[in-house]
Amino acid sequence: MPELRLATFNCENLMMRCDFRRAGIKRARERLTEVDDALVAAQVDSVFNVLSEDDRTLTAEALSVTQAEVCALQEVENLVTLTAFDTRYLARWSGAEYEDRILLEGNDTRGIDVGLLSRLPVIHYRSHARETYGRLGLSPPNGQSVNDYAFRRDCLEADILKDGRVLTLFVCHFKSMYGGRHKTRAIRQAEAQAVRLIIERRFPDPAAAEWVILGDFNDYFERDGQALHDHGLGPLVDDGFAVDLVTHAVADPYDRWTHHYNGDDTYGALDHIFLSPALAQRNARPHVRIVRAGTPFRARRYEGARFPGVGWSEPKASDHCPLAATLQFEGRPLAP
């Protein structure tokens, strides 16, 4: 039975902001979003040195500790940024570049997207960024219309092949809490419902199929270890449609946090890996790791060792922690 090491990580503003008119690179803007080419990444980077050396070194070190074969990433600007990060930073720590790099442009107004790095073949992938509430048959939240996009960023669907078997991933980055957690909850709830509908459309019997939803969902089931019931992720978990891996695998609720918000010094798990019921049953005791060594020292609940160079607030790997798990799956046979 195949075994897969999987991670999700919000890299926090992994961006390459360039003055394209000065770059001297033909079709620079288009190429940044369509070419998986380390030479293009190096050319842009050599002109502007646009990736922060300290922060991105720590980001790469944190991600490499997961030893993940497949990494779902959030807050990545474009494909060349992802390539530059992989080839210039991550490969130094992990020992080799990732063979497959996937990023499709989503809907975020800041230009941050979800992406995928994989050492395994990605045999199929597609974006759901252009799904509207109307096409999905969803009632839009207040202030939205049926013609508005259902996802603030994207839901990236990808089929991963290992040992002749296929596992499907859905990589997400839901609406932030900016503007207030309760005021923005309805949007995240609609996004959760949209992911569920996409999975139900893909799999005739979702409970019996094997799939994973993972990413930054910008909402938590617990805050400072105390259970909450006012989150926007109900469509994914309330009736057992999916199982939250960390809740399932980590007994101590105080040890489930992946994010520290310095504004009110609270700790919660914004990053999740959700398993289908069949996959959760197969992984009754999964190995789960939350990598906190790249968090700044102001996140005082973590008392373990930090990576060299981490500061009180900066530099840091991210404002999130990588979440990783080793999963066994039966999957589906590769179609002839």
Side-chain angles (χ1 to χ4, degrees):
M1 183 180 300
E3 188 173 85
L4 176 65
R5 185 70 174 167
L6 184 65
T8 182
F9 189 21
N10 182 322
C11 299
E12 191 185 11
N13 297 324
L14 185 57
M15 296 179 176
M16 298 175 74
R17 299 301 197 195
C18 307
D19 183 348
F20 296 101
R21 294 170 297 180
R22 294 173 52 212
I25 302 171
K26 293 182 179 179
R27 296 180 57 247
R29 186 179 298 276
E30 292 84 359
R31 295 179 77 185
L32 286 171
T33 62
E34 69 182 24
V35 178
D36 183 8
D37 187 338
L39 292 178
V40 174
Q43 189 177 6
V44 173
D45 193 55
S46 67
V47 174
F48 295 101
N49 193 26
V50 290
L51 293 180
S52 164
E53 194 74 24
D54 292 337
D55 286 341
R56 294 317 163 195
T57 296
L58 293 169
T59 304
E61 189 171 3
L63 188 58
S64 70
V65 167
T66 69
Q67 297 182 313
E69 298 167 279
V70 180
C71 304
L73 303 179
Q74 303 85 50
E75 293 201 16
V76 184
E77 185 178 15
N78 48 50
L79 188 56
V80 164
T81 303
L82 180 60
T83 301
F85 172 65
D86 182 30
T87 58
R88 175 174 171 176
Y89 296 91
L90 186 54
R92 295 180 182 181
W93 290 100
S94 61
E97 299 172 11
Y98 279 82
E99 286 81 1
D100 280 357
R101 307 181 191 101
I102 309 297
L103 188 145
L104 302 173
E105 291 299 300
N107 301 323
D108 189 90
T109 55
R110 287 198 296 136
I112 53 173
D113 299 311
V114 300
L116 201 67
L117 293 173
S118 181
R119 301 199 187 284
L120 303 171
V122 182
I123 61 172
H124 165 79
Y125 61 90
R126 63 175 170 173
S127 166
H128 291 283
R130 301 303 181 259
E131 293 281 8
T132 64
Y133 295 116
R135 283 199 291 269
L136 289 170
L138 282 174
S139 298
N142 289 339
Q144 305 286 303
S145 80
V146 293
N147 296 318
D148 286 327
Y149 295 136
F151 295 109
R152 279 300 185 269
R153 283 93 179 187
D154 196 1
C155 172
L156 175 63
E157 179 180 345
D159 288 345
I160 308 298
L161 178 67
K162 186 170 185 180
D163 298 341
R165 312 296 290 187
V166 179
L167 181 67
T168 300
L169 310 181
F170 299 89
V171 183
C172 300
H173 186 188
F174 282 7
K175 172 72 175 72
S176 75
M177 295 189 212
Y178 181 76
R181 179 168 176 259
H182 290 93
K183 289 183 179 180
T184 57
R185 178 178 56 191
I187 298 175
R188 288 188 295 277
Q189 191 169 27
E191 289 185 285
Q193 185 64 51
V195 175
R196 177 170 180 156
L197 289 171
I198 287 168
I199 292 173
E200 290 173 339
R201 189 167 61 187
R202 174 77 190 268
F203 300 103
D205 186 356
E210 292 186 341
W211 42 262
V212 182
I213 314 166
L214 70 169
D216 176 5
F217 295 82
N218 273 311
D219 216 337
Y220 33 62
F221 306 122
E222 298 149 343
R223 183 172 54 221
D224 293 329
Q226 301 300 309
L228 301 173
H229 304 286
D230 58 351
H231 56 80
L233 308 181
L236 298 179
V237 296
D238 282 351
D239 61 355
F241 177 77
V243 176
D244 180 60
L245 179 64
V246 173
T247 304
H248 174 62
V250 180
D252 184 357
Y254 284 91
D255 197 34
R256 295 173 184 160
W257 62 276
T258 64
H259 180 268
H260 169 245
Y261 178 54
N262 189 58
D264 57 5
D265 196 30
T266 58
Y267 297 79
L270 301 183
D271 310 273
H272 300 275
I273 297 176
F274 295 106
L275 308 182
S276 72
L279 194 58
Q281 186 175 14
R282 192 176 300 282
N283 292 272
R285 294 179 177 84
H287 179 264
V288 175
R289 183 173 186 181
I290 301 171
V291 180
R292 300 188 176 117
T295 59
F297 280 92
R298 68 186 184 187
R300 289 172 287 187
R301 181 177 293 179
Y302 175 66
E303 298 178 348
R306 258 78 170 189
F307 299 133
V310 170
W312 174 254
S313 59
E314 300 283 349
K316 63 181 183 296
S318 172
D319 56 351
H320 292 249
C321 303
L323 170 62
T326 301
L327 302 175
Q328 291 186 331
F329 68 99
E330 182 177 349
R332 310 181 303 280
L334 182 63

